[in-house]
Amino acid sequence: MSEWDEMALTELGTVERGKSRHRPRNDPSLYGNEVPFFQTGDVKAATLHMRNPSQWYSAKGVAQSRIWESGIACITIAANIAETAILGCRGCFPDSVLGFTPTYQKADAYFVKYLIDVYRGELTSAARGTAQDNLSLEKLLSYRFRVPGAPARARIVGTLRAFDDLIENNRRRVEVLEEMARAIYREWFVHFRYPGHENATLVESACGPIPEGWQVGRVDSHLVLQRGFDLPASERRPGPIPVVGASGRQGFHSTAKTQGPGLTTGRSGTVGTVTYVPGDFWPLNTSLWVKEFRLSTPRSAYFLLSSLDLAQAASGAAVPTLNRNVVHALPAVCPPRALIEEWDGAALPIFNSMELLRLQSERLVEIRNLLLPKLVSGEIDVSSIDRVAVVEDSAA
């Protein structure tokens, strides 16, 4: 093979559709705890490796599907078009996801993932034109991509994976830190094992037994929610201020609408995602943001809101919508303010460490995204790159 050739994906491996034959697909008997079942949203949510499924198949679900082994590249062709991830464990997926199994070297699964990432805009445009955007298998296999030889492919993958592995590691560390803070919150305010609890007496309340001296109120005893503000993409200007919508951070802007630290939760469309923002930010109108912290601090309010079944509280069949007044009226236990502040003092260093890791990951993502098209197109000669030095300098 010459240095760079025009190739179809089938010249690097095998491309096959996932399988989900049973109808209706939402039959409850298909789901259980046998094998992970990944869907297009799981592919899109993955940083590099896809390991956390939104659902699991039962034995019946597995029987009408297919189990794929870890290490293949997954490519979405419906709903979320041309999103990619590497399957990080054995699992099943529907026919809206393609599986690429490399013929030659293992690195080719990662190379194809990065290749599709570069061509995502073009492939998404090719999928338009029907009632529901769809990138057919035939259309994808008809594409000819510029592909380098195996040694260059391996070097490209090694360079980009160095970034992605560090980003994934940072995100896992954030998850561990958050679970640590959550565990302390539950220990103090759910199981009532806070410092000095040995001398406390439990008394009956509308929320069950609670320590004497605590109260039962409503969520608005802790905080006040407010609808976010419009900010069309066309009006956003480059800047350091996070723009936060229903599902979390959605870019940046030059101007803040409110001071941090603060919280948002999804109001429309995506409901139930709670986002903590340590600094000033712009909450979008698809979110509710905390206008006033009454009893709770921003960090304790994060776990309070996260513990509520906000999706269940949402109304609207077509587009679920969360009414702030409904959330305000939900019952909530009200500990003494001094105890919340004591917990907050223990939690603050954990939240600060989480934010440092997030900022480092954002910087790494930005640099990786700049390198990605240049490496995959051959604009940068990977043979001259010390990938370890590049990543270490980027993370510093």
Side-chain angles (χ1 to χ4, degrees), residues 166-182 302-303 350-361:
L166 184 52
I167 293 166
E168 279 196 331
N169 184 53
N170 282 354
R171 292 185 178 176
R172 284 194 295 269
R173 290 170 66 189
V174 168
E175 290 172 0
V176 170
L177 288 169
E178 180 172 325
E179 190 51 42
M180 286 173 54
R182 190 188 309 276
Y302 173 77
F303 291 118
I350 300 176
F351 274 76
N352 288 342
S353 297
M354 290 163 55
E355 186 58 22
L356 286 175
L357 289 168
R358 288 194 185 100
L359 290 173
Q360 185 185 74
S361 291

XYZ file of all heavy atoms in Angstrom, residues 166-182 302-303 350-361:
270
model
N -6.065 10.220 29.068
C -5.948 11.141 30.196
C -7.280 11.820 30.490
O -7.662 11.994 31.657
C -4.871 12.190 29.913
C -4.554 13.176 31.043
C -4.247 12.438 32.346
C -3.387 14.075 30.666
N -8.034 12.168 29.443
C -9.361 12.774 29.634
C -10.282 11.790 30.347
O -10.990 12.150 31.292
C -9.949 13.197 28.273
C -9.132 14.353 27.670
C -11.415 13.619 28.429
C -9.421 14.605 26.211
N -10.267 10.539 29.905
C -11.094 9.515 30.556
C -10.681 9.318 32.005
O -11.540 9.175 32.896
C -10.998 8.182 29.811
C -11.876 8.082 28.596
C -12.056 6.652 28.128
O -11.143 5.831 28.345
O -13.104 6.351 27.554
N -9.391 9.289 32.253
C -8.906 9.113 33.621
C -9.359 10.272 34.509
O -9.785 10.065 35.656
C -7.384 9.012 33.627
C -6.822 8.721 35.003
O -7.224 7.781 35.665
N -5.891 9.552 35.448
N -9.269 11.500 33.986
C -9.735 12.659 34.747
C -11.214 12.543 35.077
O -11.644 12.860 36.198
C -9.483 13.944 33.960
C -8.033 14.398 34.032
O -7.223 13.818 34.756
N -7.692 15.431 33.287
N -12.000 12.120 34.120
C -13.452 12.020 34.348
C -13.787 10.926 35.349
O -14.710 11.073 36.143
C -14.168 11.809 33.007
C -14.066 13.047 32.135
C -14.845 12.971 30.864
N -14.725 14.231 30.131
C -15.222 14.462 28.935
N -15.900 13.515 28.314
N -15.066 15.634 28.348
N -13.027 9.838 35.321
C -13.244 8.803 36.337
C -12.884 9.331 37.722
O -13.568 9.025 38.717
C -12.421 7.552 36.002
C -13.003 6.705 34.884
C -12.357 5.336 34.840
N -10.956 5.410 34.496
C -10.483 5.348 33.256
N -11.318 5.225 32.242
N -9.186 5.404 33.022
N -11.809 10.111 37.802
C -11.418 10.694 39.096
C -12.479 11.661 39.592
O -12.781 11.716 40.793
C -10.073 11.391 38.949
C -8.906 10.438 38.750
C -7.636 11.163 38.365
N -7.147 12.036 39.443
C -6.161 12.896 39.295
N -5.564 13.038 38.112
N -5.757 13.631 40.315
N -13.080 12.431 38.668
C -14.168 13.329 39.050
C -15.341 12.525 39.611
O -15.939 12.890 40.633
C -14.624 14.189 37.852
C -15.945 14.900 38.161
C -13.561 15.212 37.493
N -15.666 11.418 38.951
C -16.773 10.576 39.424
C -16.492 10.024 40.819
O -17.389 9.972 41.668
C -17.006 9.434 38.432
C -17.584 9.885 37.101
C -17.612 8.753 36.079
O -17.173 7.625 36.420
O -18.063 8.991 34.940
N -15.249 9.602 41.060
C -14.883 9.064 42.380
C -14.996 10.156 43.438
O -15.534 9.931 44.536
C -13.465 8.469 42.344
C -12.985 8.142 43.754
C -13.434 7.215 41.477
N -14.477 11.341 43.124
C -14.545 12.446 44.082
C -15.988 12.837 44.380
O -16.352 13.076 45.541
C -13.773 13.649 43.537
C -12.242 13.531 43.531
C -11.629 14.648 42.723
C -11.698 13.554 44.962
N -16.811 12.894 43.331
C -18.213 13.247 43.556
C -18.908 12.206 44.419
O -19.712 12.543 45.300
C -18.950 13.391 42.223
C -20.419 13.766 42.401
C -21.120 14.098 41.102
O -20.481 14.673 40.197
O -22.323 13.790 40.991
N -18.611 10.942 44.184
C -19.230 9.898 44.992
C -18.768 9.980 46.446
O -19.535 9.686 47.371
C -18.919 8.522 44.407
C -19.711 7.386 45.047
C -21.213 7.658 45.105
O -21.769 8.164 44.119
O -21.825 7.375 46.172
N -17.523 10.404 46.670
C -17.048 10.615 48.039
C -17.875 11.686 48.736
O -18.346 11.493 49.871
C -15.574 11.032 48.026
C -14.588 9.927 47.721
S -12.892 10.573 47.523
C -12.694 11.483 49.063
N -18.069 12.833 48.055
C -18.858 13.911 48.644
C -20.307 13.485 48.842
O -20.932 13.818 49.855
C -18.777 15.154 47.759
N -20.828 12.733 47.874
C -22.214 12.260 47.988
C -22.374 11.313 49.173
O -23.383 11.344 49.886
C -22.632 11.573 46.690
C -24.146 11.260 46.608
C -24.462 10.400 45.393
N -23.896 10.968 44.176
C -24.482 11.915 43.463
N -25.644 12.404 43.847
N -23.908 12.380 42.364
N -26.731 20.847 45.555
C -26.464 19.965 44.425
C -26.930 18.544 44.730
O -27.610 17.898 43.919
C -24.966 19.971 44.098
C -24.560 18.971 43.044
C -24.800 19.218 41.698
C -23.948 17.766 43.405
C -24.434 18.292 40.728
C -23.576 16.846 42.442
C -23.816 17.110 41.106
O -23.463 16.181 40.157
N -26.608 18.053 45.915
C -27.007 16.691 46.261
C -28.486 16.615 46.636
O -29.130 15.588 46.412
C -26.125 16.153 47.381
C -24.706 15.919 46.952
C -23.662 16.608 47.549
C -24.414 15.032 45.940
C -22.352 16.409 47.139
C -23.106 14.821 45.518
C -22.074 15.513 46.121
N -13.167 18.939 48.024
C -13.477 17.894 47.041
C -14.009 18.533 45.764
O -13.593 18.189 44.651
C -14.488 16.880 47.622
C -13.918 16.211 48.869
C -14.875 15.847 46.574
C -14.894 15.275 49.565
N -14.928 19.482 45.909
C -15.486 20.167 44.742
C -14.408 20.955 44.008
O -14.402 21.010 42.773
C -16.635 21.082 45.162
C -17.969 20.399 45.239
C -18.286 19.565 46.301
C -18.921 20.580 44.247
C -19.510 18.928 46.380
C -20.145 19.945 44.307
C -20.452 19.120 45.372
N -13.484 21.556 44.739
C -12.388 22.299 44.093
C -11.499 21.360 43.280
O -11.079 21.705 42.167
C -11.558 23.029 45.146
C -12.282 24.226 45.742
O -13.267 24.721 45.166
N -11.823 24.704 46.883
N -11.209 20.184 43.818
C -10.404 19.208 43.078
C -11.129 18.738 41.825
O -10.515 18.569 40.754
C -10.078 18.007 43.968
O -9.286 18.384 45.072
N -12.438 18.530 41.935
C -13.233 18.132 40.768
C -13.163 19.186 39.676
O -13.009 18.871 38.486
C -14.689 17.898 41.187
C -14.904 16.664 42.045
S -16.498 16.676 42.926
C -17.665 16.904 41.592
N -13.237 20.440 40.051
C -13.224 21.513 39.057
C -11.860 21.620 38.379
O -11.778 21.858 37.173
C -13.600 22.836 39.709
C -13.747 24.000 38.727
C -14.775 23.748 37.635
O -15.664 22.897 37.811
O -14.681 24.411 36.583
N -10.783 21.447 39.124
C -9.450 21.477 38.515
C -9.301 20.374 37.463
O -8.735 20.594 36.383
C -8.375 21.330 39.593
C -8.137 22.544 40.484
C -7.138 22.203 41.591
C -7.624 23.730 39.669
N -9.829 19.198 37.761
C -9.765 18.092 36.805
C -10.623 18.387 35.581
O -10.235 18.075 34.444
C -10.220 16.793 37.474
C -9.264 16.207 38.511
C -9.939 15.104 39.305
C -8.003 15.676 37.828
N -11.798 18.988 35.788
C -12.657 19.350 34.648
C -11.969 20.379 33.750
O -12.021 20.277 32.517
C -13.997 19.900 35.137
C -14.932 18.867 35.729
C -16.349 19.423 35.859
N -17.233 18.488 36.540
C -17.565 18.580 37.810
N -17.089 19.567 38.554
N -18.377 17.689 38.364
N -11.346 21.370 34.357
C -10.663 22.400 33.571
C -9.514 21.797 32.772
O -9.293 22.156 31.607
C -10.150 23.509 34.493
C -11.219 24.401 35.131
C -10.586 25.344 36.155
C -11.971 25.199 34.073
N -8.772 20.884 33.393
C -7.679 20.226 32.681
C -8.234 19.419 31.509
O -7.671 19.440 30.405
C -6.901 19.314 33.620
C -5.677 18.677 32.974
C -4.993 17.682 33.880
O -5.492 16.575 34.079
N -3.856 18.060 34.443
N -9.352 18.730 31.717
C -9.949 17.939 30.646
C -10.429 18.827 29.507
O -10.263 18.486 28.328
C -11.119 17.105 31.186
O -10.653 16.090 32.049
